[in-house]
Amino acid sequence: GENVEQHPSTLSVQEGDSAVIKCTYSDSASNYFPWYKQELGKGPQLIIDIRSNVGEKKDQRIAVTLNKTAKHFSLHITETQPEDSAVYFCAASWLTNAGKSTFGDGTTLTVKP
Amino acid sequence: EAQVTQNPRYLITVTGKKLTVTCSQNMNHEYMSWYRQDPGLGLRQIYYSMNVEVTDKGDVPEGYKVSRKEKRNFPLILESPSPNQTSLYFCASSHRAPGYTDTQYFGPGTRLTVL
């Protein structure tokens, strides 16, 4: 089955700096790669996603890049703010077994004011 | 308001006492899924349902049962809970399955402790 590895597990940055979280996946058939943000005591919430036919997607301070050849995708947060502090999860899904979804282990991001 | 609700939010129980965690969505979503979250292990899929009366195993289905008799509800049943099922559980739903590139909406979570 699919395996998703996420790095780093913890990340601490200064307010205003950029943060990058990377995920690698094993199944080349994977076609959908969402990123979720989980704040303390809440369920994960989608912040950005990318489909396999797209190399990059941006939404204000957040961007995701996908390298299908290397089988990795990354979350980029620019001009970080304290409210960006949370746990971030990547995930991968694939059409041939559409109901399944594999998540990375999560990255705890701390933005220091 | 579009949402996924779970009940109870917190539960402490004892080994072997059957319990049900309910999940309901008001978005008319076809797809629903259950995950457990454990420290350092991310979210692991327990069961999912592509539509009413259609359910299938995820990566960690042992010790769990589900049913999907109505579109809006997807209860998680632990027939004989054990301490290794102590975890944080999330229900999620989406219009179509994630493999069709659809976004999942998550509930607030249920923290279960089995003594």
Side-chain angles (χ1 to χ4, degrees):
Chain A
E2 174 71 285
N3 183 47
V4 176
E5 293 189 1
Q6 183 172 346
H7 297 282
S9 56
T10 60
L11 180 60
S12 181
V13 300
Q14 210 63 38
E15 182 177 0
D17 288 349
S18 295
V20 180
I21 304 170
K22 182 176 176 178
C23 286
T24 59
Y25 60 97
S26 58
D27 192 339
S28 57
S30 294
N31 65 335
Y32 180 58
F33 307 94
W35 284 93
Y36 293 89
K37 176 183 181 182
Q38 184 181 27
E39 297 176 337
L40 202 59
K42 296 184 178 180
Q45 188 171 10
L46 180 82
I47 53 171
I48 197 166
D49 58 7
I50 193 166
R51 291 162 176 79
S52 58
N53 58 347
V54 176
E56 183 173 358
K57 185 177 178 180
K58 191 173 182 181
D59 183 4
Q60 299 183 337
R61 296 186 297 109
I62 295 172
V64 56
T65 58
L66 171 65
N67 183 327
K68 287 200 301 181
T69 303
K71 291 192 280 188
H72 67 72
F73 57 109
S74 299
L75 176 70
H76 305 255
I77 306 174
T78 58
E79 301 171 25
T80 54
Q81 301 165 3
E83 50 266 39
D84 293 330
S85 296
V87 179
Y88 292 82
F89 291 99
C90 63
S93 304
W94 53 104
L95 189 59
T96 50
N97 198 347
K100 296 200 77 175
S101 189
T102 300
F103 283 73
D105 290 345
T107 296
T108 301
L109 173 65
T110 303
V111 181
K112 299 177 182 177
Chain B
E1 181 190 353
Q3 60 183 353
V4 178
T5 56
Q6 296 179 226
N7 282 294
R9 294 290 312 279
Y10 302 90
L11 179 60
I12 300 175
T13 189
V14 295
T15 299
K17 186 176 181 181
K18 181 179 178 180
L19 66 92
T20 299
V21 183
T22 64
C23 173
S24 183
Q25 49 92 6
N26 63 0
M27 296 170 278
N28 201 35
H29 285 168
E30 290 186 356
Y31 176 86
M32 298 185 76
S33 184
W34 276 104
Y35 298 87
R36 61 178 288 174
Q37 182 179 11
D38 302 290
L41 295 178
L43 290 152
R44 292 181 293 167
Q45 193 174 33
I46 302 171
Y47 269 95
Y48 62 91
S49 171
M50 300 288 274
N51 212 327
V52 176
E53 303 289 2
V54 182
T55 63
D56 210 343
K57 297 177 181 177
D59 293 322
V60 288
E62 296 77 20
Y64 304 95
K65 283 176 56 177
V66 293
S67 69
R68 187 91 181 274
K69 293 184 171 60
E70 316 164 87
K71 202 170 189 178
R72 65 182 295 129
N73 296 323
F74 190 44
L76 179 70
I77 303 154
L78 284 72
E79 296 265 3
S80 182
S82 62
N84 64 11
Q85 293 178 298
T86 293
S87 188
L88 179 59
Y89 291 86
F90 288 101
C91 179
S93 73
S94 54
H95 280 294
R96 298 190 306 165
Y100 297 117
T101 69
D102 212 349
T103 304
Q104 294 185 76
Y105 295 85
F106 283 82
T110 294
R111 185 166 291 281
L112 172 66
T113 302
V114 183
L115 302 174

